[in-house]
Amino acid sequence: MSLDHRPDAGALGHVLTDVLHAPTLLSTLPPHAAYDADLQRQVLEGAAEFVGGVIAPLTRVGDEVGARFEAGKVTMPPGFREAYQAFWKDGWPALAHAEEDGGQGLPIVLEMALYEMLSAANHGWTMAPGLLTGAYETLKHHGDATVKSLFLPKLATGEWLATMCLTEPHAGSDLGLVRTKATPQPGPNGATHRLDGGKIFISGGEHDLTDNIVHLVLARLPDAPPGPKGLSLFVVPKCMPDGSRNGAHCDRIEEKMGLHGSPTCVMRFEDAAGWLVGEAGKGLGAMFIMMNAARLHVALQGIGLLEAAHQRATAYSLERRQMRAPGARDTSLIAEHPAMRRILGTQRAWIDCGRVLAYHTALELEVSHAHPDAARREAASRWCALATPIMKSAFTDQGFAGASACLQVFGGHGYVREWGIEQVVRDARVAMIYEGTNEIQALDLLQRKVLPDGGAALAGALEGLVALPAERQRFAVLTGLAGRITQAATTRVDLPAWVADDFLRACAVALLAWAGTRLAAAPGGGDERWQAPLRALRAWVLPEFEMRVRIIEDRLAAST
Amino acid sequence: MSLDHRPDAGALGHVLTDVLHAPTLLSTLPPHAAYDADLQRQVLEGAAEFVGGVIAPLTRVGDEVGARFEAGKVTMPPGFREAYQAFWKDGWPALAHAEEDGGQGLPIVLEMALYEMLSAANHGWTMAPGLLTGAYETLKHHGDATVKSLFLPKLATGEWLATMCLTEPHAGSDLGLVRTKATPQPGPNGATHRLDGGKIFISGGEHDLTDNIVHLVLARLPDAPPGPKGLSLFVVPKCMPDGSRNGAHCDRIEEKMGLHGSPTCVMRFEDAAGWLVGEAGKGLGAMFIMMNAARLHVALQGIGLLEAAHQRATAYSLERRQMRAPGARDTSLIAEHPAMRRILGTQRAWIDCGRVLAYHTALELEVSHAHPDAARREAASRWCALATPIMKSAFTDQGFAGASACLQVFGGHGYVREWGIEQVVRDARVAMIYEGTNEIQALDLLQRKVLPDGGAALAGALEGLVALPAERQRFAVLTGLAGRITQAATTRVDLPAWVADDFLRACAVALLAWAGTRLAAAPGGGDERWQAPLRALRAWVLPEFEMRVRIIEDRLAAST
């Protein structure tokens, strides 16, 4: 049994082509008129080969050796730099970046597939390029000519890596509390501001993968108002264009539960030269425009990690014999015991149906950028705004809980390092926290996206789906609840916060069921490969829907 | 904020005295006629002081330094040996051992409380004495005069520690596959057998806490039949009575997800001298007699770890301010946000109600040993047989899932070592596996204990509880399902294995609800301290009951 993850390009291709008709849809968008199933297959297979061959074998060394800090420098685990250099030189990080910037101009859905494979193969390593596209897009859309000329080309290709410097010790989920100071002050190479302050939880704040690191830093100008509206965004490179070292220092890295291959840095900006990106006071907005793509990436990390766990547990269950399964005459493979089949089948259902939802959303994200029809773009945007927090929360919760369930398949062997499954569990835990904790996703969904129009946008998005009567009925329950919560919240301001988690989970399960039907309706959907997870979905995932609805109804019926 | 766990003797005392009337009940048992609330309070307070003062401060060093292996020897983390020496010299491990053996003869419920505190304070350290009482009882009940004279006194006081050597690389849950050989052969000091074979996952197989380690080893005699009936039990000391080293060697220790303070040893028995314990071929039975107590211990580890996580998360939530809670004008404490209140309230409910159930069962265990009335002893035994797998599975599942929920309260700070919460999550994971995986608990409950008599024993046990109509109704649903599963299983042999997990969870939730009502009915039960968790139980724990029932009903209704 190989312990390295092997990406399954075929399963992803099936979802993209047979279920979602991605080639047909994408070729209707002007930037991707030449896109077809052949190109898609080549990219997926190439990605699977690179990820499986180069990145997956570095998972364990990433965990066991980990990133090492000494005297301000971070040494990455053996092999990490070489792998990253091959990664960017082969063009992988630039897959969906604009051709005019040196990218390949491919649709974002392929970048999502690449990163799902990467997260499954080696979550720690994948953190390094994880924020690159977000930084590239931020500078592309908000940077002025100087900023673009200095930083965009090397971010576009991935020759340099990037960070997002948001969190401070006292400012986690609440970025309005950020204190890092930006002072207008001309600096070397035309820098416009001086940055001073401390940031924490900066993934890849320092490393030896690339010759330069470009920090996007949220900071406060001298005359800025308190709160989120006082925040501006700055680009602060580790090395200045003239080659000198800038005042961006890594003071230490965190000891973490997992993700040891990714240095989580405590950063100190001291007399650091920076350039304003976008307008003063609009820093949060400049970063948040990237939010849907970033959160969709994290949702797919959940799927990827679940796939990694499922692959390991399946292989183990087909090797190990213990006790007799019901009706068997002799010792059975673990894979034959109902309790193990249930664990594996349930995760398979989440992965398969989750992919349909996630890649459908990635396609809608592309549509929201590139469709010729403004109304269609608008509808796609609304879908992404609603679906993304649902998936970020539900898929990363399942990434952790499902990986832990897969660990159980190994019995005592799962708790030791030997098979690599406990690393998946430890690595997966962080995805429930970053890019907005899962509780914040639930508030974002209900309070910001569903309640403001009494559930109308939600109803519109769900009505846009081709669905069976049972699915429609669940959608109707959700929109009905949205209306009642809106109503009740006028007098009970805390109500939405109490039921936000349940509402999100109910949406997730209802959408998974819809996704399952799409799988079944696709060519080959009647095969056992796709039918078995659907049975698991119906038996063990769907019953949560009614439970969540009941919890919300009970809260609505209560006096407080 | 102190990072060390502080045991709450008062809360345990409330459950024991005010809810379960332990002093009254115990004083009706001849061995504990002198037991009273004062004695109980003194022991609980003394235990809390020792555990909080001596054991809790060693948690982090246990995790970070861990047990170290070199050349066959295991060095325990700094401070572990001193703490253990103080522990046994103060009489703690002998709390419930017989006075005639040098113990204190106190009821097992106090030992359970001590170990709940210990597990919460330092799960890794607690593994060392964790099997001591089981080994003591096994030798006391099954050892012959020689075995007792050689080993019992020092196991009774805890001057020596003990292991259970069951698992082999190919024999985990399925002990029938054990291959270690026992050959009748007179040895030094009157040893009767020679042992040869390899064992894995031996907690505390080697360490420097005590001068000797007593291994209880499951092995197969030359003429033994294959399978579980061919297994005999042997006692194999690390050091022989004459002081010479026996052939029990530690070849390495495992790298684990957590529990670094407990060495998990790969043991090699080579020409090792041993003594048969009990009859040949009855090795499993001799060990399994200790099973209910051992599993109840593990159930309480789940509660203890949940309490440790809850205590840390509560303290953090009362220190940290982020964003505004609904209706607040300014940044709120994390503790004021509904999502956080829900996480903390749910765990509080599991801990409080879980304790009622667990200590009720510990009292029944005592009754099953010491009540003058045989029928009462028998009924108590039946309760323990049914309740123990339910609690072992449900409480350790919640220990892990709830600790992970508590980690979420810390946001990104939870994923780093700083606050100690991620260690609780990693440590807690193992309890879902050992002493029989949680899936095996579910099979044990349904297939071995509920179905053989069509649910009659279950019905009897539940009828014996003082309960409200809503609780009775849930009990009736459970016994009704038991009957229908029994019926259906006559033609569908695999049915019980498919629904065993759901049946166990439904039982667990129904019993938690019953326990909650006991809490509410006790003196002071109307206080917010006890009412708040009950509201959490009703809102977020109880709805699982109907979901589980629905899953079972759907499976019953299905054709396969």
Side-chain angles (χ1 to χ4, degrees):
Chain A
M1 170 177 169
S2 161
L3 295 177
D4 293 338
H5 181 70
R6 291 224 303 258
D8 183 353
L12 288 182
H14 175 71
V15 167
L16 288 178
T17 304
D18 300 329
V19 181
L20 298 171
H21 314 292
T24 312
L25 172 66
L26 288 167
S27 64
T28 66
L29 306 179
H32 305 299
Y35 189 86
D36 63 16
D38 251 11
L39 170 65
Q40 179 179 284
R41 191 178 40 72
Q42 283 171 32
V43 174
L44 291 178
E45 288 178 359
E49 192 183 324
F50 184 88
V51 171
V54 178
I55 307 303
L58 300 172
T59 312
R60 189 149 181 174
V61 73
D63 187 56
E64 293 191 354
V65 177
R68 303 280 174 111
F69 176 84
E70 204 188 323
K73 295 203 169 163
V74 172
T75 305
M76 295 294 274
F80 269 42
R81 181 180 160 91
E82 295 72 15
Y84 185 75
Q85 289 294 319
F87 183 68
W88 85 260
K89 285 175 183 167
D90 282 4
W92 292 113
L95 215 55
H97 298 174
E99 288 180 271
E100 72 211 46
D101 298 322
Q104 301 192 42
L106 288 166
I108 198 164
V109 73
L110 289 181
E111 185 191 275
M112 294 286 169
L114 168 68
Y115 277 85
E116 188 209 309
M117 292 183 195
L118 284 168
S119 301
N122 192 334
H123 188 187
W125 185 92
T126 303
M127 293 297 291
L131 295 172
L132 185 65
T133 293
Y136 159 76
E137 297 275 355
T138 302
L139 294 195
K140 188 172 174 69
H141 292 292
H142 298 283
D144 61 19
T146 310
V147 162
K148 284 188 191 171
S149 72
L150 290 173
F151 303 107
L152 203 60
K154 298 206 169 181
L155 287 181
T157 60
E159 182 173 349
W160 292 350
L161 280 169
T163 75
M164 302 269 193
C165 297
L166 313 182
T167 307
E168 299 181 4
H170 52 281
S173 298
D174 193 349
L175 291 171
L177 303 175
V178 155
R179 288 183 199 147
T180 294
K181 281 195 307 190
T183 316
Q185 178 180 306
N189 306 101
T192 58
H193 289 76
R194 167 189 165 145
L195 279 282
D196 293 277
K199 294 283 181 179
I200 62 168
F201 298 156
I202 309 307
S203 296
E206 175 59 27
H207 57 69
D208 57 9
L209 300 178
T210 51
D211 298 337
N212 202 1
I213 302 170
V214 177
H215 305 287
L216 294 190
V217 183
L218 221 47
R220 204 174 286 282
L221 284 161
D223 53 351
K229 287 179 183 158
L231 296 173
S232 306
L233 186 64
F234 299 86
V235 56
V236 180
K238 171 183 170 182
C239 299
M240 295 293 284
D242 64 11
S244 64
R245 188 72 165 74
N246 196 10
H249 310 282
C250 174
D251 280 343
R252 65 179 175 86
I253 65 175
E254 305 285 355
E255 298 284 334
K256 305 191 297 295
M257 182 178 188
L259 223 58
H260 299 158
S262 172
T264 302
C265 301
V266 175
M267 297 297 294
R268 174 172 43 89
F269 294 96
E270 205 171 82
D271 195 7
W275 285 258
L276 180 66
V277 178
E279 288 177 50
K282 305 232 164 138
L284 271 186
M287 300 194 93
F288 277 19
I289 205 165
M290 298 300 111
M291 201 54 100
N292 277 335
R295 288 184 172 174
L296 185 51
H297 264 293
V298 177
L300 276 167
Q301 287 175 2
I303 297 289
L305 287 156
L306 197 56
E307 165 76 10
H310 182 271
Q311 192 178 103
R312 280 173 167 76
T314 301
Y316 186 81
S317 75
L318 292 169
E319 276 197 354
R320 176 132 174 127
R321 292 183 174 276
Q322 292 285 283
M323 305 202 288
R324 285 182 298 141
R329 287 160 169 263
D330 206 349
T331 309
S332 307
L333 286 171
I334 284 184
E336 294 164 31
H337 288 280
M340 301 296 107
R341 290 168 65 185
R342 175 172 179 162
I343 288 173
L344 294 170
T346 301
Q347 310 325 316
R348 187 77 260 157
W350 274 91
I351 297 163
D352 288 345
C353 301
R355 278 179 178 156
V356 171
L357 262 181
Y359 291 110
H360 171 67
T361 305
L363 290 168
E364 290 296 291
L365 198 58
E366 195 74 48
V367 165
S368 78
H369 295 319
H371 201 281
D373 176 4
R376 184 70 186 80
R377 287 201 304 276
E378 187 61 29
S381 263
R382 277 199 303 270
W383 171 266
C384 293
L386 287 160
T388 304
I390 295 172
M391 292 189 291
K392 192 281 180 184
S393 173
F395 295 176
T396 60
D397 273 359
Q398 192 63 25
F400 178 69
S404 171
C406 287
L407 187 154
Q408 199 73 2
V409 173
F410 292 78
H413 295 275
Y415 195 66
V416 300
R417 287 226 184 125
E418 194 180 359
W419 299 96
I421 184 72
E422 63 88 29
Q423 183 189 342
V424 180
V425 178
R426 286 186 288 108
D427 287 355
R429 184 62 183 83
V430 74
M432 296 161 67
I433 300 169
Y434 60 32
E435 286 294 341
T437 68
N438 286 358
E439 290 73 20
I440 285 179
Q441 305 296 323
L443 294 174
D444 177 57
L445 173 69
L446 188 60
Q447 294 194 312
R448 284 202 213 141
K449 303 194 170 149
V450 170
L451 298 186
D453 63 6
L458 177 71
L462 296 175
E463 274 160 24
L465 299 173
V466 176
L468 299 178
E471 292 154 23
R472 294 236 156 270
Q473 202 180 343
R474 275 182 221 110
F475 295 165
V477 169
L478 292 172
T479 51
L481 285 174
R484 289 166 61 196
I485 296 168
T486 309
Q487 195 62 34
T490 55
T491 51
R492 295 161 64 188
V493 289
D494 63 339
L495 178 74
W498 285 110
V499 297
D501 287 325
D502 301 297
F503 191 80
L504 185 146
R505 291 293 302 188
C507 290
V509 171
L511 288 173
L512 282 179
W514 168 81
T517 304
R518 298 300 98 210
L519 276 172
D527 300 351
E528 184 62 9
R529 164 65 186 84
W530 304 104
Q531 282 294 314
L534 293 188
R535 289 196 301 272
L537 186 84
R538 271 180 232 119
W540 302 305
V541 180
L542 264 183
E544 185 183 336
F545 182 81
E546 284 175 39
M547 181 181 83
R548 297 292 179 172
V549 170
R550 169 77 188 277
I551 292 175
I552 298 170
E553 302 236 348
D554 284 354
R555 175 67 62 167
L556 277 164
S559 54
T560 54
Chain B
M1 166 179 171
S2 162
L3 295 178
D4 293 338
H5 181 70
R6 292 225 301 258
D8 184 354
L12 288 182
H14 175 71
V15 167
L16 288 179
T17 304
D18 301 328
V19 182
L20 298 171
H21 314 291
T24 312
L25 171 64
L26 288 167
S27 64
T28 66
L29 306 180
H32 305 298
Y35 190 86
D36 64 14
D38 251 10
L39 171 64
Q40 180 179 282
R41 191 179 38 73
Q42 282 170 32
V43 174
L44 291 178
E45 287 177 1
E49 192 183 326
F50 183 88
V51 171
V54 178
I55 307 302
L58 299 172
T59 312
R60 189 148 182 175
V61 73
D63 187 56
E64 293 190 353
V65 176
R68 301 280 174 112
F69 176 84
E70 204 187 325
K73 295 201 169 167
V74 171
T75 306
M76 295 294 275
F80 270 40
R81 182 182 159 90
E82 295 72 15
Y84 185 75
Q85 289 295 319
F87 183 67
W88 85 260
K89 286 175 182 166
D90 282 5
W92 292 113
L95 215 55
H97 298 173
E99 289 180 90
E100 73 213 45
D101 298 321
Q104 302 191 40
L106 288 165
I108 199 166
V109 72
L110 289 181
E111 184 191 275
M112 294 286 169
L114 168 67
Y115 277 84
E116 188 209 309
M117 292 182 195
L118 284 168
S119 300
N122 192 335
H123 187 187
W125 185 93
T126 303
M127 292 297 291
L131 295 172
L132 185 65
T133 292
Y136 159 77
E137 297 276 355
T138 302
L139 294 194
K140 187 172 175 69
H141 293 292
H142 299 284
D144 61 19
T146 311
V147 162
K148 284 189 189 169
S149 71
L150 290 173
F151 304 107
L152 203 61
K154 298 208 169 182
L155 286 181
T157 59
E159 182 173 350
W160 292 349
L161 280 168
T163 75
M164 302 271 193
C165 298
L166 313 182
T167 307
E168 299 181 6
H170 51 282
S173 299
D174 193 348
L175 290 172
L177 303 176
V178 156
R179 289 184 199 145
T180 294
K181 280 197 305 188
T183 316
Q185 179 179 308
N189 305 104
T192 57
H193 289 75
R194 166 190 165 147
L195 279 282
D196 292 278
K199 295 282 181 180
I200 61 170
F201 298 157
I202 308 307
S203 296
E206 175 58 29
H207 57 70
D208 58 9
L209 299 178
T210 51
D211 298 337
N212 202 1
I213 302 171
V214 177
H215 305 288
L216 293 190
V217 184
L218 220 46
R220 203 174 286 280
L221 285 161
D223 52 352
K229 287 177 184 159
L231 295 174
S232 306
L233 186 65
F234 299 86
V235 57
V236 180
K238 172 182 170 182
C239 299
M240 295 294 285
D242 63 11
S244 65
R245 188 71 165 73
N246 196 9
H249 310 281
C250 174
D251 280 343
R252 65 179 175 84
I253 65 174
E254 307 284 355
E255 298 283 335
K256 304 190 298 296
M257 184 179 188
L259 222 58
H260 298 159
S262 172
T264 302
C265 301
V266 175
M267 297 299 291
R268 174 172 43 90
F269 295 96
E270 207 172 82
D271 195 6
W275 286 258
L276 180 66
V277 177
E279 289 177 50
K282 304 230 164 137
L284 271 186
M287 301 195 92
F288 277 19
I289 205 164
M290 298 299 112
M291 201 55 100
N292 277 335
R295 289 184 172 173
L296 185 52
H297 263 292
V298 177
L300 276 166
Q301 286 174 4
I303 297 290
L305 287 155
L306 197 56
E307 166 76 10
H310 182 270
Q311 191 178 102
R312 280 173 166 77
T314 301
Y316 186 80
S317 75
L318 292 169
E319 277 198 350
R320 175 130 175 130
R321 294 184 173 276
Q322 292 284 284
M323 306 201 290
R324 285 182 297 141
R329 288 160 170 263
D330 206 348
T331 309
S332 306
L333 286 171
I334 283 185
E336 295 165 33
H337 289 279
M340 302 296 107
R341 290 169 64 185
R342 175 173 179 163
I343 287 173
L344 294 170
T346 301
Q347 311 324 316
R348 187 76 259 158
W350 273 92
I351 298 164
D352 289 345
C353 301
R355 278 179 178 157
V356 171
L357 261 182
Y359 291 111
H360 171 67
T361 306
L363 290 168
E364 290 296 291
L365 197 58
E366 196 75 48
V367 166
S368 78
H369 296 319
H371 202 280
D373 176 3
R376 184 70 186 82
R377 288 202 303 276
E378 187 62 28
S381 262
R382 277 199 303 272
W383 171 266
C384 292
L386 287 160
T388 305
I390 295 172
M391 291 189 293
K392 192 281 179 182
S393 173
F395 296 177
T396 61
D397 273 359
Q398 192 63 26
F400 178 70
S404 171
C406 287
L407 187 155
Q408 200 72 3
V409 172
F410 293 78
H413 295 274
Y415 196 66
V416 300
R417 288 227 183 124
E418 194 179 0
W419 300 95
I421 184 71
E422 62 88 30
Q423 182 189 344
V424 180
V425 178
R426 285 186 290 107
D427 286 356
R429 184 62 183 81
V430 74
M432 296 160 67
I433 300 170
Y434 61 30
E435 286 295 340
T437 66
N438 286 358
E439 290 74 19
I440 285 179
Q441 305 297 323
L443 293 174
D444 178 58
L445 173 69
L446 188 60
Q447 295 194 312
R448 284 201 212 142
K449 299 180 175 162
V450 170
L451 298 187
D453 64 5
L458 176 73
L462 296 175
E463 274 159 25
L465 299 173
V466 175
L468 299 179
E471 292 154 23
R472 294 233 157 270
Q473 202 180 343
R474 274 182 222 111
F475 295 166
V477 169
L478 292 173
T479 52
L481 285 174
R484 290 167 62 197
I485 297 168
T486 309
Q487 194 61 37
T490 56
T491 52
R492 295 162 64 189
V493 290
D494 62 338
L495 177 75
W498 284 111
V499 298
D501 288 326
D502 301 297
F503 190 80
L504 185 146
R505 292 292 304 188
C507 290
V509 171
L511 288 173
L512 283 179
W514 167 81
T517 303
R518 298 300 98 209
L519 276 171
D527 299 352
E528 184 63 9
R529 164 65 187 82
W530 305 104
Q531 283 294 314
L534 294 188
R535 290 196 300 273
L537 187 83
R538 272 180 232 119
W540 302 306
V541 180
L542 264 183
E544 185 183 336
F545 182 81
E546 284 176 39
M547 182 180 81
R548 297 291 180 174
V549 169
R550 169 75 189 276
I551 292 175
I552 298 171
E553 304 235 342
D554 284 354
R555 174 66 65 165
L556 278 165
S559 54
T560 53

